[in-house]
Amino acid sequence: KVSCPRSIYARGERARLSSLVALGIFGTIFLLLGTGFLHKVLLSRLASLSSTVREIASRKTVSTRVAVVGKDELAGLGRDINIMLDGLEQSETERLRSEEKLRNMVEVASDWIWEVDAQGRYTYASGQVARILGYESEEIIGKTPFDFMPPEEAQRVGEIFSRIVADKAPICFLENLNLHRDGHQVVLETNGVP
């Protein structure tokens, strides 16, 4: 056996170890820079987009828009969300305009227009009820049509109404007797759809 110092081998081992340490340091730096870049360019923008969408949803308003920065896929997603919000806002505006138009038509109609819930209680009564029965609309809400009929008429109409409800059929030309606020009888012709 030869036992002489092998300086070349030792230098090679040191160089290999130094290379591994340098590679580890550069890899860590690259990973940190890459993560920072990924966070700045992608994750923070995605979090901001998500936060804005949640804010729009919580406000239940479609007038807010998503900030669009750049020309990449995330910016494209933001533009698409804004296009969707534009469409929703337009639909909401049209719906409100249509509701207002319908409300105005109902209020100027000569007929008493009403709506009842599943229990038969008035949830809406147009202002014409004051002219027909002497009650303000607010006084009708929460009551049933039978509350404004003589007892025997409430019994008769209640039986007819029960059959109509069971069949989920429309109410067509149902004549019924109601009591005006001052006590005189008023004959009404009732029409309605389920």
Side-chain angles (χ1 to χ4, degrees):
K1 234 180 178 184
V2 178
S3 78
C4 64
R6 299 174 68 190
S7 62
I8 292 179
Y9 178 75
R11 277 188 294 180
E13 283 297 309
R14 280 194 304 272
R16 186 172 69 90
L17 183 60
S18 296
S19 295
L20 286 175
V21 169
L23 185 62
I25 290 171
F26 286 127
T28 302
I29 291 171
F30 182 75
L31 182 65
L32 291 174
L33 288 175
T35 302
F37 179 76
L38 181 66
H39 185 269
K40 180 175 174 56
V41 171
L42 182 64
L43 297 178
S44 65
R45 289 177 55 213
L46 191 57
S48 175
L49 180 65
S50 178
S51 172
T52 304
V53 169
R54 277 195 307 276
E55 181 182 332
I56 291 168
S58 69
R59 284 190 198 166
K60 297 188 183 344
T61 179
V62 292
S63 60
T64 305
R65 294 296 178 267
V66 173
V68 177
V69 179
K71 295 183 179 184
D72 59 1
E73 290 81 4
L74 278 179
L77 179 60
R79 280 189 294 278
D80 290 344
I81 289 171
N82 286 339
I83 289 169
M84 178 192 67
L85 290 170
D86 288 340
L88 288 172
E89 185 173 32
Q90 183 178 357
S91 295
E92 177 71 5
T93 300
E94 289 171 10
R95 183 187 65 80
L96 291 172
R97 198 174 300 132
S98 178
E99 281 181 7
E100 181 65 23
K101 185 177 179 180
L102 179 61
R103 187 177 301 109
N104 291 337
M105 286 175 19
V106 164
E107 290 303 320
V108 298
S110 60
D111 291 339
W112 169 24
I113 297 172
W114 49 265
E115 180 180 50
V116 294
D117 62 16
Q119 288 73 42
R121 291 184 303 255
Y122 289 110
T123 57
Y124 174 79
S126 68
Q128 295 302 330
V129 70
R131 182 181 55 80
I132 296 169
L133 292 180
Y135 296 96
E136 295 300 320
S137 298
E138 299 79 29
E139 295 175 278
I140 300 292
I141 304 301
K143 297 190 175 170
T144 72
F146 311 110
D147 294 332
F148 302 95
M149 297 177 185
E152 60 282 351
E153 182 70 353
Q155 174 80 26
R156 181 186 76 81
V157 174
E159 290 170 5
I160 296 169
F161 188 73
S162 293
R163 286 193 304 271
I164 290 171
V165 169
D167 294 342
K168 295 183 178 161
I171 303 169
C172 296
F173 308 110
L174 175 61
E175 286 190 13
N176 54 91
L177 191 61
N178 285 250
L179 295 175
H180 190 278
R181 171 178 234 136
D182 67 11
H184 78 270
Q185 295 182 347
V186 178
V187 177
L188 299 178
E189 182 181 83
T190 302
N191 294 288
V193 293

